[in-house]
Amino acid sequence: MEKALLEVRNLKKYYSLKKDWLGRSKGHVKAVENISFSIRDGETFGLVGESGCGKSTAGRTILGLMPATEGEVIYQGKTLRTLSKEELRLTRKNMQMIFQDPYASLNPRMTVFDILEEPLRAHHIGEKQDRRKKIEEILEVVGLTKRHINRYTHEFSGGQRQRIVIARSLILQPKFIVADEPVSALDVSIQSQILNLMQDLQEQFQLTYLFISHDLSVVRHLCNRVGVMYLGNLVEVSDVGTLFNEPLHPYTKMLLSAIPIPDPLAKRERIMLQGDLPSPANPPSGCPFSTRCPDVKDICRQVKPELKSMTGEARQIACHLYEA
Ligand SMILES: Nc1ncnc2c1ncn2[C@@H]1O[C@H](COP(=O)(O)OP(=O)(O)OP(=O)(O)O)[C@@H](O)[C@H]1O
């Protein structure tokens, strides 16, 4: 599990704010600000952070669903930007997405067969009969049956719909899947079924996941390594055990302190954040967390800390407190 399957280098994604009536640009939302990390073959890498910190934008930009402003995505050693159209099409077949909301991401006018056949047709895979066979097989794999094949999605529950979304992401036999909050739109009682299914599928098909979530308990359970994002920046990257047992970045500490503890008698200090979350259209100078950090120093307001490896440790952190 050591080789990198995917590398993200200095990825930036800015959204242009609407122009005013004279056609003047009103600036940019800096949704993803220069992030770099790699995902090893076979692992689940989690991206965590509060709503609006840029997790979904990062996931979608990595998959090429929208163009990056700057930076590179390298898949199996190939820089995607340098590939020909045909090479890119074949590579993208290996990289799929599970969207958050199975109510919004499935076309209500299509049957399960149509939904699952679409990617196969787009890639000219098989004749109609072969495609039907593949679709029947994949339905079994995700815990549905071939009896479901001609139904429309409104006939299914939320959990079953998410199984269809997962089947669609698997039908082209990808190696890498971005799962963007795959259970947060589902009933709590269904969430663990879908997460268990994702884990089984990972084992069965040797999948590598980029798992995007704001739910730290889920991330702890599912991920091997985690990247913590704040205001478009990666502030800490670490294996999951180290991160949860000994968070270092003041923002990570704050995030983890907010996880509910099951034991009502256990005590833990809850770190409250000061101030409001700054706008990604007008981020603070220096460290992005400097306006809310309880340990802020002068340098933090002036110089942006880079994400650097801790000496003797596999984790990386972007914080002046650890720069000695
Ligand atoms: N199409 C867009 N145009 C302009 N700004 C956008 C667009 N999409 C997202 N943003 C902004 O970019 C920032 C990052 O959004 P993003 O959805 O990537 O964050 P997130 O961490 O995934 O949050 P959530 O979990 O709420 O989706 C936010 O400030 C958001 O308002």
Side-chain angles (χ1 to χ4, degrees):
M1 226 173 63
E2 282 308 310
K3 232 173 63 208
L5 179 73
L6 183 115
E7 250 185 275
V8 174
R9 281 197 203 147
N10 304 110
L11 191 71
K12 246 185 212 180
K13 177 67 189 177
Y14 290 1
Y15 295 107
S16 291
L17 286 171
K18 281 208 180 86
K19 295 182 174 165
D20 67 10
W21 64 279
L22 283 173
R24 290 174 299 196
S25 169
K26 291 210 228 144
H28 297 96
V29 176
K30 297 174 177 175
V32 171
E33 186 60 284
N34 223 8
I35 63 171
S36 300
F37 61 98
S38 59
I39 307 182
R40 299 168 192 157
D41 206 354
E43 82 171 340
T44 300
F45 186 95
L47 264 190
V48 302
E50 289 163 289
S51 177
C53 71
K55 307 179 294 293
S56 298
T57 301
R60 285 162 191 250
T61 313
I62 288 168
L63 284 189
L65 300 180
M66 49 194 181
T69 304
E70 267 176 42
E72 303 293 0
V73 176
I74 299 156
Y75 180 78
Q76 289 188 317
K78 294 180 205 148
T79 306
L80 297 191
R81 190 180 42 84
T82 63
L83 298 184
S84 69
K85 229 174 157 182
E86 182 55 14
E87 285 172 317
L88 196 58
R89 192 181 69 82
L90 290 173
T91 308
R92 290 260 157 81
K93 201 169 145 247
N94 269 318
M95 307 167 78
Q96 297 293 326
M97 179 122 184
I98 298 174
F99 292 94
Q100 173 176 0
D101 183 356
Y103 292 87
S105 64
L106 295 172
N107 185 336
R109 288 191 198 86
M110 290 166 85
T111 62
V112 171
F113 179 83
D114 296 336
I115 290 167
L116 298 180
E117 195 198 20
E118 199 173 47
L120 294 172
R121 280 161 62 124
H123 286 271
H124 311 291
I125 294 171
E127 297 298 319
K128 193 107 187 161
Q129 267 322 307
D130 310 327
R131 296 204 284 258
R132 178 168 286 273
K133 195 157 171 288
K134 269 187 196 297
I135 291 168
E136 287 175 0
E137 281 170 11
I138 207 76
L139 286 175
E140 300 280 342
V141 164
V142 300
L144 297 168
T145 72
K146 59 182 176 190
R147 283 185 297 112
H148 293 118
I149 204 164
N150 292 320
R151 298 204 191 156
Y152 289 90
T153 50
H154 66 82
E155 299 175 54
F156 294 95
S157 66
Q160 286 175 317
R161 286 180 201 215
Q162 200 57 322
R163 288 176 195 268
I164 301 169
V165 172
I166 292 174
R168 182 177 58 186
S169 77
L170 286 180
I171 193 94
L172 295 172
Q173 297 176 282
K175 287 180 72 66
F176 174 65
I177 293 185
V178 174
D180 188 358
E181 304 268 12
V183 295
S184 56
L186 302 178
D187 212 82
V188 177
S189 59
I190 308 295
Q191 292 188 351
S192 57
Q193 290 176 17
I194 297 295
L195 294 173
N196 289 341
L197 173 68
M198 286 182 61
Q199 278 185 309
D200 290 348
L201 296 171
Q202 179 168 42
E203 227 174 271
Q204 221 174 321
F205 300 108
Q206 285 98 47
L207 299 171
T208 303
Y209 288 135
L210 173 60
F211 189 85
I212 295 172
S213 181
H214 68 278
D215 186 336
L216 291 160
S217 324
V218 170
V219 166
R220 181 176 207 170
H221 177 68
L222 222 75
C223 297
N224 304 103
R225 287 191 309 134
V226 183
V228 181
M229 283 185 79
Y230 181 79
L231 214 60
N233 296 265
L234 263 182
V235 296
E236 186 161 1
V237 178
S238 168
D239 75 78
V240 75
T242 315
L243 190 91
F244 279 82
N245 291 331
E246 197 204 345
L248 290 184
H249 195 285
Y251 178 65
T252 317
K253 287 184 186 169
M254 188 288 302
L255 262 190
L256 298 193
S257 82
I259 308 179
I261 318 177
D263 178 358
L265 298 175
K267 286 212 173 107
R268 183 172 56 194
E269 192 194 351
R270 172 118 195 224
I271 306 168
M272 297 307 285
L273 267 188
Q274 29 188 334
D276 295 329
L277 180 69
S279 159
N282 187 19
S285 57
C287 172
F289 193 52
S290 59
T291 53
R292 306 171 87 191
C293 180
D295 304 318
V296 65
K297 298 189 291 184
D298 282 347
I299 186 174
C300 308
R301 297 198 181 89
Q302 289 147 20
V303 182
K304 186 170 176 174
E306 280 176 41
L307 189 73
K308 284 188 191 152
S309 295
M310 295 277 297
T311 354
E313 281 195 54
R315 83 163 98 189
Q316 294 167 293
I317 183 161
C319 180
H320 289 301
L321 297 174
Y322 299 97
E323 269 189 354

